[in-house]
Amino acid sequence: MEWTGVAFADLGRVWPDLQALTPAGMHLTSGGGLRAYWNEDFVLSMEGRFSAEQRLLAFSLGNIF
């Protein structure tokens, strides 16, 4: 069994057209988690994601893809 820690950040915004392309109104989401790999194919993933709009705790069980 192998344990791996992950950290991530995502910054972005949706624009209706190219004339509205400005950095104003960007949204940031960040988080981290743990992944446990077993026999190279089976993965248990636990992640926490945080933004101004929401907070999410996610669990995943299965393959990495």
Side-chain angles (χ1 to χ4, degrees), residues 6-9 11 13-14 31 37 45 47 53 61:
V6 293
F8 58 87
L11 179 68
R13 179 181 163 213
V14 176
Y37 298 91
S45 177
E47 295 180 355
E53 294 84 18
L61 188 63

Side-chain angles (χ1 to χ4, degrees), residues 34-46:
L34 289 172
R35 292 182 183 159
Y37 298 91
W38 183 34
N39 290 338
E40 299 181 14
D41 292 328
F42 184 75
V43 179
L44 171 62
S45 177
M46 301 160 281

Side-chain angles (χ1 to χ4, degrees), residues 15-58:
W15 290 277
D17 55 41
L18 291 178
Q19 283 73 31
L21 190 62
T22 65
M26 293 282 194
H27 297 276
L28 174 66
T29 300
S30 60
L34 289 172
R35 292 182 183 159
Y37 298 91
W38 183 34
N39 290 338
E40 299 181 14
D41 292 328
F42 184 75
V43 179
L44 171 62
S45 177
M46 301 160 281
E47 295 180 355
R49 305 171 193 160
F50 308 97
S51 71
E53 294 84 18
Q54 65 180 2
R55 289 168 181 77
L56 177 68
L57 184 60

